[in-house]
Amino acid sequence: MRTTNYNPSKLEVDFAKAFRDLAPQLEDKLYQGEQVTDIESIHDADNPLVIFKLQDKEGDKHEVVVQIIQRPDTIVK
C-alpha cells in the first residue's frame, strides 16, 4: 500500500482506533488498582492522539498520551 497522504494517513488513524480499542487489555497490564477512567481520541490531527485518563489506587488522576506517527515510506527499509 503506497501512502499518498500523511496528515493524517489512513494507517495512522486505523492504528489509533485499534490502540483505543485495546484499552481493556492495557488496563489488565497496569499496576494493581489502576484503572482507565476515560479515553479521548483525536483522529483528525496531523498525528492522531489517544489520551488515556487514569486513576491510581490512591485516587490520583493521571494522563498518558499516545501519539501515532507514520514515517514516510521512503525512510522505511
Side-chain angles (χ1 to χ4, degrees), residues 3-42:
T3 304
T4 57
N5 184 10
Y6 287 93
N7 296 328
S9 74
K10 180 171 176 9
L11 182 58
E12 287 174 326
V13 171
D14 289 348
F15 198 88
K17 288 177 181 178
F19 209 85
R20 177 200 60 211
D21 293 345
L22 288 172
Q25 290 90 332
L26 294 171
E27 190 173 45
D28 288 343
K29 302 292 184 186
L30 296 175
Y31 293 112
Q32 187 177 22
E34 294 175 335
Q35 61 182 344
V36 176
T37 59
D38 192 29
I39 302 170
E40 180 181 353
S41 297
I42 304 172

